[in-house]
Amino acid sequence: KAQFGGVILRVGGKWTLRGRRTEGCSIVEDFIRLGKMIHSLFMINGSGDVFMEKHWKSVVERNVCDYFFEAQNKASTPDNIPPVITTPHYYLISIYRSNMYFVAAVQQEVAPLFVIEFLHRIMDTFQDYFGACNELEIKEHYVIVYELLEEMLDNGFPLATEINVLKEMIRPPSMLRAAMDSVTGGSHVASTLPTGQLSNVPWRRVGVKYANNETYFDLVEEVHCIVDKSGATIFAEIQGAIEVECKLSGMPDLTLSFMNPRLLDDVSFHPCVRFRRWEAERILSFVPPDGKFRLMSYHISAQNVVALPVYVKPTFSFREGGSGRIDISCGPKQTMGQVVENVVLEVQMPKCVMTVNLASTNAGLYTFDPVSKVLRWEVGKVQLHRPAASLTGSATMQSGSAVPDSNPTSTVQFKLPHVAVSGLKVNRLDIYGEKYKPFKGVKYMTKAGKYQIRA
């Protein structure tokens, strides 16, 4: 079983893939190669300590991570670490989330996105099992973590990555179950095969029953952009996803349609989606997994479609003699009549800046870390028909230091509820195969991704 492509079968000497739109496609070959390539996984905390490792094909010495630490020291931020690092004997493919690095050791060339997607799937599984995916939770549940890794990647081959299947094989931790296991000597691993493991819908277990049937769809979009000092947009794109929480009894068959599906060209679906119907009618038809899952992800890159909800005008001037001037203003731009919440501005100041003396007008508080040289301005809410928030003052530089070659770049964080800036809207949701009438809800949210402002 493979989450990415349904069921891999060998028929007549040929590898085929069931559960997607084609059979015998190259993705199967990539998966077979992927299974042969992943040898080891290293989990590294923010301090650079390897606190857990797992080996499948053979034991890879921990000192291979020295190449990763070398690249980490050269990078200015964790996001700037190369996702693929070449060493004499291995390729190191890594991701960074929750102040942790997951580093996979691969011996031969393989499509890096497969490995990166698999590492994200591991972290998503830990998040679902433990409520949070961090170093403390992983250390507290060492046994379950190793059991999950054994099932998700068996001897290097992707085996089971669907959360519903995993929960039937390995029970999630709870205080009651831990007390019973300590008394009876029981295990987290189930003694029977999951009910959906050999069915046509392995992502959904059999016999699901709820007293209240309901399903919720969260359409979340992240705006990534680069704005130059004149306010012109150099680069802009939207990364969106539809997150679903499904609590429906039986085996429902759902169809979801959009008012403007033409916006969706670059899309990625959960395996439950019938791809042929999407290609023909632009309608999502699927039997949903039970619980929380991501139905689809999409990417919109046309700059004329991307509406930026917030504007920021930063001005920095540094002079010889150890002084500088800072002037930053922030306000709403295209908010569709909604209030922009949790607006936070961060500026990585030059290393020569010792202290800042600033005053905020109309909104927010600021802090400056003299060690990391990060200026953080918590603006709060930004809304129309209100004066723009501003932060002005002076900066004290180290005596004798040269004027910085370039002005710092600002990053912005925000949340815009009830709005999808791409304009994508759900038209209707229909349920077939069951007689009950469930409660259905759709919520929209826009937030900042990598939102950079140059000065």
Side-chain angles (χ1 to χ4, degrees), residues 1-2 4 8 15 28-41 54-60 104-108 110 114-115 118-119 122 146 148-161:
K1 297 284 189 303
F4 312 102
I8 296 176
W15 288 104
V28 181
E29 299 173 2
D30 288 334
F31 249 103
I32 302 305
R33 292 177 58 217
L34 171 64
K36 293 180 180 179
M37 296 312 128
I38 292 184
H39 280 63
S40 301
L41 172 65
K54 178 73 175 74
H55 307 280
W56 285 277
K57 302 292 291 184
S58 60
V59 177
V60 178
V106 178
Q107 193 168 28
Q108 299 181 21
V110 66
F114 282 113
V115 183
F118 186 79
L119 295 179
I122 291 176
Y146 274 106
L148 286 171
L149 293 177
E150 280 290 343
E151 296 296 339
M152 296 182 74
L153 201 70
D154 184 19
N155 196 32
F157 287 88
L159 179 63
T161 58

Side-chain angles (χ1 to χ4, degrees), residues 310-314 316 326-331 342-347 358-369 374-382 387-392 410-413:
V310 176
Y311 76 85
V312 177
K313 296 180 179 179
F316 302 94
I326 300 175
D327 188 355
I328 308 174
S329 61
C330 176
N342 302 332
V343 180
V344 178
L345 180 71
E346 288 189 354
V347 183
L358 305 173
S360 61
T361 304
N362 297 326
L365 300 173
Y366 81 92
T367 58
F368 177 73
D369 188 348
V374 174
L375 172 63
R376 180 182 175 89
W377 182 24
E378 297 182 358
V379 182
K381 294 183 178 180
V382 173
S390 62
L391 185 69
T392 58
S410 307
T411 60
V412 184
Q413 303 171 16

Side-chain angles (χ1 to χ4, degrees), residues 221-227 233-240 298-301 303 306 308 414 421 446-452:
E221 295 185 343
E222 288 188 354
V223 180
H224 304 270
C225 72
I226 299 176
V227 180
T233 302
I234 300 175
F235 165 82
E237 67 175 10
I238 292 175
Q239 297 283 354
Y298 58 91
H299 170 247
I300 299 175
S301 60
Q303 295 191 18
V306 178
L308 304 182
F414 62 82
V421 293
T446 298
K447 58 183 180 180
K450 295 182 179 179
Y451 201 101
Q452 298 183 356

Side-chain angles (χ1 to χ4, degrees), residues 68-241:
F68 175 79
F69 296 140
E70 183 179 350
Q72 183 185 23
N73 293 332
K74 294 180 180 178
S76 57
T77 63
D79 292 331
N80 291 333
I81 298 176
V84 181
I85 300 173
T86 304
T87 72
H89 301 289
Y90 296 95
Y91 296 99
L92 300 181
I93 302 176
S94 64
I95 64 171
Y96 175 77
R97 278 175 56 179
S98 303
N99 200 29
M100 294 186 302
Y101 302 91
F102 276 28
V103 182
V106 178
Q107 193 168 28
Q108 299 181 21
E109 283 194 21
V110 66
L113 289 179
F114 282 113
V115 183
I116 290 173
E117 173 67 18
F118 186 79
L119 295 179
H120 279 292
R121 191 61 52 84
I122 291 176
M123 298 196 78
D124 291 339
T125 302
F126 292 167
Q127 175 83 25
D128 194 282
Y129 261 75
F130 312 135
C133 183
N134 52 46
E135 181 183 0
L136 180 62
E137 293 293 338
I138 292 176
K139 287 183 175 180
E140 187 176 345
H141 303 95
Y142 257 137
V143 176
I144 297 179
V145 168
Y146 274 106
E147 290 172 347
L148 286 171
L149 293 177
E150 280 290 343
E151 296 296 339
M152 296 182 74
L153 201 70
D154 184 19
N155 196 32
F157 287 88
L159 179 63
T161 58
E162 179 56 48
I163 190 66
N164 291 298
V165 174
L166 289 170
K167 283 185 176 180
E168 288 193 66
M169 290 191 292
I170 302 171
R171 302 181 185 93
S174 66
M175 295 187 64
L176 178 60
R177 184 171 291 119
M180 293 179 61
D181 291 344
S182 63
V183 175
T184 62
S187 171
H188 292 280
V189 181
S191 58
T192 58
L193 193 68
T195 55
Q197 186 80 351
L198 300 178
S199 70
N200 291 329
V201 284
W203 51 83
R204 186 174 181 86
R205 58 189 176 91
V206 178
V208 180
K209 292 183 179 179
Y210 288 100
N212 297 319
N213 294 282
E214 52 191 12
T215 180
Y216 302 98
F217 290 77
D218 291 343
L219 199 152
V220 182
E221 295 185 343
E222 288 188 354
V223 180
H224 304 270
C225 72
I226 299 176
V227 180
D228 64 10
K229 60 182 180 180
S230 63
T233 302
I234 300 175
F235 165 82
E237 67 175 10
I238 292 175
Q239 297 283 354

